[in-house]
Amino acid sequence: MKILVTGAGGFVGKNLCEALKNIRDGKDRRFPELSIEEIFRYTRESTAEELARYCVEADFVFHLAGVNRPERTEEFREGNVTLTETLLDALKTAGNRCPVMISSSVQASLSGRFGDSAYGRSKREGEELCFAYAKETGARVLVYRFPNLFGKWCRPNYNSAVATFCHNIARDLPIRVNDPSVELELLYIDDLVAEMLLALQGKEHRARFEDVTAVFDEDGPYCACPVTHRATLGEIVALLRRFREQPETLLLPEIPAGSFAKKLYSAYLSYLPPERAVFPLTMHSDARGSFTELLKSAACGQFSVNISRPGITKGQHWHNSKWELFIVVSGHALIRQRRIGSEEILEFEVSGEKIEAVHMLPGYTHSIVNLSDTEDLVTLMWANECFDPANPDTFREDV
């Protein structure tokens, strides 16, 4: 299959082309039914002759090129209508009736606050050209109306508030929010690319639109991505500020699978400047070695790393309710545990040669000793709750 992507240098085009390349090159094997031979990338630098040649050979067209922030209003029509006409004419000239997917916008509904949108009018005209083309040629046309898009590689300070917020907050630059209560419908780039790959397989989600709302309908004239999220500007900014604080608090955000927060965190991280891709951790050191907190989670506790010098014993305390896992990743150690009020001792000899996780049991005082005379002992430690100085639940007692 040969695929033409117009707007290949843009935000959506770049993400789609990389996904197609991974399939073509056998790096992404989730789509055995897709055999991609060639990807034709049409960008601002491409020529009319190249477009004509691509339209002869293409088996599927993703028409993503368009204009949304022009210097002149007339450019809306040039980028969103004239280019679409040129593409469809080239396909007709080539006698190529391959499927065509076109990226439109909910602004093309021309409803509500979009009623006087020059951008929306140009996208609506582009839609109508595609519908007319389908009627004339019998080609399969997929007109997708997108809400607000966000994700990696989206250009900040352009037409995406989320991209601008991510970029600026990651750099401690000011942002402007006129009304925090304004709610956005948001489509994450990976969800969009997943939908476009379904479209490539003939499994697109059809819909009709009631104003700006997609109503999924197998007989609908439009297409839409079934996975979107709604969040207010205030909620978005609050999440991003929490992400920004993570290097200081070590607290990981709550990011359930499939959640908007998880996708926004991935987007935010992609905007970090190089100097903020690394952050220092506080190492508490003494003659025995060191202890460093790594990451914390409000719901799932915290990770730390403990380094013990040769022959050193650490621990010698117990907890009522807190439990921990000790994982020796380098060195040779003996973990000992004794239930409070008992003389019986449990012993676990562990080493980095065979990595194991050992539970520190509630109600058992425990210790870990470095059995080596020459090498440091490195132990990853997980506790089911973050340390609370007001309620430490830690009591000194030798094993």
Side-chain angles (χ1 to χ4, degrees):
M1 180 180 286
K2 297 180 180 180
I3 299 169
L4 167 57
V5 181
T6 73
F11 166 46
V12 177
K14 183 177 180 181
N15 277 274
L16 174 62
C17 285
E18 291 302 319
L20 294 172
K21 284 165 57 180
N22 284 336
I23 296 171
R24 180 197 63 190
D25 299 343
K27 298 175 183 177
D28 187 345
R29 301 179 182 178
R30 295 174 298 164
F31 308 94
E33 63 276 25
L34 286 179
S35 177
I36 298 175
E37 178 184 351
E38 197 164 355
I39 303 163
F40 301 130
R41 299 178 72 258
Y42 181 84
T43 68
R44 294 179 186 274
E45 290 72 39
S46 301
T47 65
E49 292 73 22
E50 286 175 314
L51 180 62
R53 177 170 62 83
Y54 297 157
C55 285
V56 170
E57 299 186 45
D59 299 304
F60 195 104
V61 176
F62 288 102
H63 181 37
L64 307 176
V67 171
N68 49 32
R69 283 288 294 272
E71 294 181 3
R72 299 176 293 109
T73 302
E74 295 78 15
E75 292 179 57
F76 277 131
R77 196 173 194 285
E78 295 168 9
N80 299 327
V81 180
T82 303
L83 179 56
T84 301
E85 287 178 322
T86 301
L87 170 68
L88 298 178
D89 285 344
L91 289 169
K92 282 192 283 188
T93 299
N96 188 347
R97 293 181 173 83
C98 72
V100 178
M101 175 268 182
I102 181 173
S103 61
S104 188
S105 164
V106 293
Q107 293 195 37
S109 65
L110 301 178
S111 60
R113 62 192 178 96
F114 303 130
D116 193 35
S117 166
Y119 172 68
R121 288 196 302 272
S122 68
K123 297 304 280 188
R124 170 69 75 90
E125 194 171 347
E127 291 179 354
E128 291 169 351
L129 282 172
C130 288
F131 287 132
Y133 171 78
K135 187 174 181 180
E136 177 186 349
T137 64
R140 177 168 148 252
V141 169
L142 312 175
V143 178
Y144 274 85
R145 282 185 171 177
F146 298 155
N148 298 276
L149 304 179
F150 75 104
K152 66 184 184 300
W153 306 335
C154 187
R155 180 177 168 186
N157 301 305
Y158 187 57
N159 70 329
S160 167
V162 173
T164 301
F165 292 165
C166 287
H167 177 273
N168 286 17
I169 289 174
R171 290 162 174 77
D172 294 330
L173 297 174
I175 61 170
R176 180 178 177 181
V177 180
N178 293 326
D179 184 355
S181 68
V182 170
E183 185 180 70
L184 301 180
E185 182 183 11
L186 295 148
L187 172 54
Y188 183 52
I189 188 61
D190 288 3
D191 292 327
L192 172 54
V193 170
E195 173 64 22
M196 289 194 287
L197 293 178
L198 286 175
L200 190 58
Q201 301 168 69
K203 301 175 183 178
E204 68 275 5
H205 288 85
R206 289 277 175 178
R208 53 187 170 81
F209 274 81
E210 295 179 358
D211 296 328
V212 298
T213 303
V215 179
F216 290 94
D217 181 343
E218 291 182 0
D219 299 318
Y222 296 96
C223 296
C225 184
V227 182
T228 62
H229 302 272
R230 291 188 178 274
T232 66
L233 293 175
E235 290 168 342
I236 294 167
V237 170
L239 277 171
L240 290 173
R241 293 203 187 284
R242 234 176 294 159
F243 301 160
R244 169 62 188 87
E245 294 166 359
Q246 191 273 331
E248 285 81 38
T249 65
L250 299 184
L251 191 64
L252 289 171
E254 296 299 314
I255 45 175
S259 67
F260 172 66
K262 181 177 182 181
K263 297 168 186 178
L264 183 64
Y265 194 32
S266 293
Y268 168 77
L269 290 176
S270 74
Y271 289 89
L272 284 180
E275 65 272 16
R276 287 200 167 156
V278 59
F279 57 92
L281 298 171
T282 302
M283 179 181 287
H284 303 279
S285 302
D286 58 25
R288 300 175 305 154
S290 67
F291 177 79
T292 307
E293 293 180 320
L294 301 179
L295 296 170
K296 299 180 181 181
S297 165
C300 300
Q302 70 178 62
F303 276 100
S304 308
V305 61
N306 187 79
I307 300 176
S308 298
R309 301 301 182 210
I312 292 296
T313 298
K314 288 189 176 182
Q316 306 286 35
H317 61 244
W318 63 281
H319 315 289
N320 280 305
S321 297
K322 182 187 297 184
W323 71 89
E324 300 166 305
L325 285 171
F326 285 8
I327 305 167
V328 169
V329 296
S330 180
H332 184 200
L334 180 65
I335 295 172
R336 306 175 77 230
Q337 301 189 62
R338 176 177 60 81
R339 189 172 65 183
I340 298 301
S342 168
E343 298 301 319
E344 182 182 358
I345 295 176
L346 309 178
E347 293 190 341
F348 306 90
E349 190 171 343
V350 291
S351 82
E353 298 298 317
K354 180 186 176 184
I355 296 179
E356 300 174 286
V358 181
H359 280 290
M360 300 301 106
L361 307 172
Y364 281 69
T365 186
H366 50 268
S367 66
I368 180 168
V369 57
N370 184 351
L371 296 177
S372 172
D373 294 327
T374 58
E375 296 182 1
D376 286 350
L377 173 69
V378 182
T379 308
L380 288 180
M381 296 179 172
W382 172 81
N384 72 301
E385 58 188 43
C386 296
F387 179 72
D388 179 4
N391 182 28
D393 190 16
T394 301
F395 308 97
R396 177 78 172 82
E397 182 165 337
D398 289 347
V399 175

